[in-house]
Amino acid sequence: MVSAALLGLTARADLFEKASNVGPGVGHTAGTFGFYFTPNVDLYVTRLGVFDYSSYSSGSALVEVWKAGDVSPVTSATITFSGSSTSEASFNYSFATVAGSPVLNAGLNYLVVWVDNTGSATQPFADGTHAQVNYPIGDYAPANPAEGNLRLNYSYIYDGGTLGAGNPWDKQHVAGWEKSVISGSPSYMDVNIDVVAVPEPVETGAAVGLLLLGLAWVRRARM
C-alpha cells in the first residue's frame, strides 16, 4: 500500500484537463471509449476518471486499465455520474481513487477503457477543442523520460455495446472499434487517468550516501 504522503512527493498528472467551457448541445452518447498509452517512467495509478456532464449524464462508468496479454485488469474504478446542474462550469472530469496504487512499467503499452454501457455521458469534445492534453502525442514509440510521464498513442471508441469479459486488447481490431490516430486534437476523451512517477527508493539514496562517505574516510586515511 503506497501512503498518501509518499504520493504527495510528486505532482499530480492527469492525462487530460478541461481547457474551456463546454456546452450541453454536442449530443449524448453511451458507449465504450479507450486510450492506448505508454509510460515513459514507472508510474503509480492514483485515480481513474470520466467526463461528467452533471444533469446531462446518468448512471455510472466502470473504467479499467489493461496490459496486453493479461487476463485481468491492472486496476479499475467505478465513477458514479451525479449532479443536477445545467451550468457549463459544472461539467468536468470526475475521478475515483484506485486501491493499492498499482504500478505501470515504463516502456510497456496499456489501455484505459470505459468497459460498459451502464452510464450515459455526453460526448464532450467532439471537435477536440475543449480539453488540454498534458503529455506527448504520437504512435507507439520507445519510452523517453525526457517527454514526461506518458506518451498518448491511440484513441478508440467501441459502438458495439458492452465489451463484456476478457482483455479489451484482444478486441481492438474487431467490428465495432473505431480507431483514431491522435494528432493533437483527440476525438474521444471521455475517460481519464491520473498518475504519479514512482520515486527513487529511499534506501538507494541512503546507500549511495554511505558509499560516498566511506570513500571520503578512505581518502582521509590515505593522506
Side-chain angles (χ1 to χ4, degrees):
M1 182 74 176
V2 180
S3 70
L6 178 60
L7 293 178
L9 293 175
T10 312
R12 247 188 45 215
D14 300 345
L15 185 57
F16 300 119
E17 288 182 48
K18 179 181 176 182
S20 62
N21 284 338
V22 185
V26 265
H28 289 278
T29 184
T32 303
F33 307 90
F35 299 93
Y36 289 81
F37 65 94
T38 307
N40 290 317
V41 295
D42 290 346
L43 300 171
Y44 291 123
V45 181
T46 58
R47 303 185 305 168
L48 296 175
V50 290
F51 200 90
D52 188 350
Y53 258 52
S54 190
S55 64
Y56 296 95
S57 299
S58 62
S60 62
L62 173 60
V63 179
E64 296 178 343
V65 178
W66 286 84
K67 183 173 68 176
D70 282 359
V71 296
S72 59
V74 174
T75 190
S76 64
T78 298
I79 299 94
T80 300
F81 296 118
S82 61
S84 57
S85 175
T86 58
S87 168
E88 293 184 27
S90 68
F91 307 156
N92 212 334
Y93 288 102
S94 295
F95 286 88
T97 302
V98 301
S101 301
V103 173
L104 306 179
N105 297 119
L108 300 183
N109 298 323
Y110 294 88
L111 165 66
V112 57
V113 61
W114 175 5
V115 298
D116 61 45
N117 270 334
T118 60
S120 176
T122 302
Q123 167 57 50
F125 306 124
D127 58 3
T129 61
H130 298 296
Q132 171 182 320
V133 184
N134 291 328
Y135 295 105
I137 297 172
D139 205 340
Y140 290 132
N144 180 5
E147 293 182 329
N149 287 342
L150 294 177
R151 170 182 284 271
L152 180 61
N153 299 313
Y154 297 123
S155 66
Y156 278 83
I157 178 172
Y158 184 75
D159 57 12
T162 180
L163 279 171
N167 191 332
W169 278 87
D170 301 328
K171 306 171 185 180
Q172 61 175 301
H173 296 301
V174 300
W177 275 112
E178 176 186 336
K179 177 180 176 182
S180 172
V181 178
I182 301 173
S183 60
S185 296
S187 53
Y188 304 109
M189 303 192 296
D190 298 70
V191 293
N192 209 341
I193 187 170
D194 190 16
V195 298
V196 295
V198 176
E200 181 182 358
V202 175
E203 58 269 19
T204 300
V208 171
L210 289 173
L211 177 60
L212 293 175
L213 182 62
L215 289 174
W217 279 109
V218 169
R219 286 175 180 172
R220 287 183 180 181
R222 289 177 176 176
M223 290 178 65

